[in-house]
Amino acid sequence: MSLESVRRFFAERAPHMAIIELETSTATVELAARAHGVEPGRIAKTLAFRTVAGEVLILVTRGDARIDNARFKARFGKGKMLGAEEVEGVTGHPVGGVCPFGLATPLPVYLDTSLTAFDEVLPAAGAVHSAVRVSPTLLAELAGGEWVDVCKFASEMPAA
């Protein structure tokens, strides 16, 4: 069902986009990077949050980034990631296949500027074994997304 909604999305908005379907799971950044033969940063992970104001939003980040809580709070207010069941309910996509395309519910989509370090990224395509190759610019355009700066990298994190 979810993969089908993404197929319909691309048929209507970007018929040139090819959905990559693999035999192996790409449900995590590590699995996806290995399966596609790319570095983890090129995997565009899609997260769903609910703010304290009750707004549900989608945030697409590079695979090796983490949410910077202070930056997130400054931009959106306090927020919490949705649980797997709620994610699937609002997006129509299973965890591991969540993407900003073919959403079951219209949701605001935000893309972290960290994605722009790459000429091409791979977000999932509605299933735990699917993805698309797309430039960050086209990803933002297709998703109707807004650019934000809410992530940090290992180099920005305090040593353990």
Side-chain angles (χ1 to χ4, degrees), residues 55 58-60 75-76 107-113 115 139-141 143-150:
E55 177 186 34
I58 297 293
L59 176 62
V60 185
R75 177 61 180 86
F76 301 109
L107 297 169
V109 175
Y110 299 91
L111 300 98
D112 190 76
T113 56
L115 290 165
L139 172 60
E141 183 182 313
E146 179 182 330
W147 290 103
V148 295
D149 180 11
V150 296

Side-chain angles (χ1 to χ4, degrees), residues 22 24-47 61-66 95-96 122 124 128 154 157:
L22 302 175
T24 185
S25 173
T26 56
T28 68
V29 169
E30 293 76 20
L31 289 173
R34 195 174 317 124
H36 292 289
V38 299
E39 61 192 289
R42 285 189 183 270
I43 303 303
K45 63 182 174 184
T46 304
L47 308 170
T61 74
R62 59 186 274 170
D64 59 356
R66 293 188 179 231
V95 170
L122 289 102
V128 297
M157 294 181 230

